[in-house]
Amino acid sequence: QQQVKQSPQSLIVQKGGISIINCAYENTAFDYFPWYQQFPGKGPALLIAIRPDVSEKKEGRFTISFNKSAKQFSLHIMDSQPGDSATYFCAASTGALITGTYKYIFGTGTRLKVLA
Amino acid sequence: NAGVTQTPKFRVLKTGQSMTLLCAQDMNHEYMYWYRQDPGMGLRLIHYSVGEGTTAKGEVPDGYNVSRLKKQNFLLGLESAAPSQTSVYFCASSYVGLSGGLQETQYFGPGTRLLVL
C-alpha cells in the first residue's frame, strides 16, 4: 500500500534521445508526485512535480505524464544531454504533516547515463 | 544563503559507538526530515519534525533518536551503532506556504556518509 515502484533501475540513452522513467503507486490517497534529480555526492533536488488533477506537466525538456486510473506516472526527458546523467527518484506524498497522516515515499531510483 | 548543511560529511564508527549527525537550515523552514539512502532502496524516512520541540517517527525509526531544540537545527542520534546503519544520511527541510498549506518541495542537504564497522 505504501510502495512506489520505479523502473528501470538503470538506463543508457544516446545524446539527443528520449529518456523515459516510470513509476507506479498503490495508495490512492497520494496527491503529490515529484521527481528528484541527484548527482553523485549531492543531495536530491526537485526537478518537476505534478498533482493528480492534471495529466501532463512540462518544464523545458522535462515532462511528467500522469495516469490516475492506472496509478502510474512517468518522467520524459527530451533531447537528453550528457549533463542529464544522474540518478532520478520519483516520489509520492499524501496528507499534511500536522494531521499525522503524512507520507512521502520515494521510488528506488533510476541511474541515467547519456552518452555523448 | 547556505540552504541545508550537514555535519560531518563522513564518519567511521565501530559497532556500539554513538554519534550525532547535525543538520542546519537557514531558510526558516518549519519542517525538517532525516532520510537514509541505501543502494536499491531509495530514500527512507527515519524521523521528521513539524516544528521546534516536536518530532515524529517515519518509516524506519528503530535505532535512531532525534531532537529539534532550535528551529534551524535537527539532530539525528545513533546511541549504539550497528553495521546495518551503514548508509548515506540526508537531511531535508520544507516550509509552509502563505496560505498555510504545506509546500511539498523538500530541500536536501549534501548528505553524511556513515560506515559502521
Side-chain angles (χ1 to χ4, degrees):
Chain A
Q1 190 73 1
Q2 306 291 355
Q3 272 190 315
V4 176
K5 295 181 179 179
Q6 183 173 346
S7 63
Q9 277 190 321
S10 63
L11 182 61
I12 299 175
V13 174
Q14 293 287 338
K15 179 182 176 182
I18 302 173
S19 303
I20 302 174
I21 305 170
N22 301 299
C23 282
Y25 62 97
E26 299 170 355
N27 189 344
T28 56
F30 287 137
D31 59 4
Y32 179 75
F33 303 89
W35 285 90
Y36 284 81
Q37 180 187 55
Q38 184 181 28
F39 293 105
K42 305 291 185 183
L46 181 71
L47 184 64
I48 187 172
I50 196 168
R51 294 199 183 273
D53 53 345
V54 296
S55 60
E56 186 176 281
K57 182 174 182 180
K58 184 176 181 179
E59 290 184 1
R61 296 184 294 108
F62 302 92
T63 300
I64 298 180
S65 297
F66 186 81
N67 187 328
K68 189 174 182 178
S69 61
K71 292 187 284 186
Q72 295 176 346
F73 59 109
S74 60
L75 175 69
H76 292 65
I77 306 175
M78 311 300 288
D79 187 25
S80 299
Q81 299 296 313
D84 296 331
S85 296
T87 299
Y88 293 81
F89 293 95
C90 64
S93 80
T94 182
L97 286 172
I98 55 176
T99 66
T101 62
Y102 177 74
K103 300 293 179 192
Y104 207 110
I105 309 295
F106 282 85
T108 52
T110 296
R111 184 170 292 185
L112 171 66
K113 184 174 178 63
V114 181
L115 302 176
Chain B
N1 199 343
V4 179
T5 58
Q6 294 181 233
T7 53
K9 287 184 171 56
F10 176 70
R11 184 76 183 268
V12 179
L13 287 181
K14 293 181 180 178
T15 297
Q17 287 185 318
S18 63
M19 79 162 294
T20 300
L21 282 67
L22 171 64
C23 175
Q25 52 94 4
D26 61 3
M27 298 176 284
N28 201 35
H29 286 176
E30 288 291 334
Y31 306 128
M32 297 186 75
Y33 318 81
W34 275 107
Y35 291 90
R36 60 178 290 172
Q37 183 176 39
D38 302 292
M41 301 191 74
L43 291 138
R44 293 181 293 168
L45 183 64
I46 304 171
H47 286 280
Y48 63 96
S49 168
V50 301
E52 185 177 324
T54 67
T55 63
K57 294 180 180 180
E59 184 184 355
V60 289
D62 294 342
Y64 305 95
N65 57 76
V66 289
S67 63
R68 183 106 181 262
L69 300 179
K70 294 182 179 180
K71 185 178 182 179
Q72 64 268 32
N73 295 336
F74 195 27
L75 278 62
L76 178 71
L78 286 73
E79 290 187 347
S80 179
S84 61
Q85 294 178 304
T86 293
S87 187
V88 180
Y89 292 86
F90 286 99
C91 176
S93 68
S94 62
Y95 65 97
V96 177
L98 292 175
S99 62
L102 172 66
Q103 299 304 298
E104 299 275 11
T105 301
Q106 296 200 1
Y107 296 83
F108 283 83
T112 293
R113 188 174 297 272
L114 177 65
L115 175 62
V116 182
L117 301 176

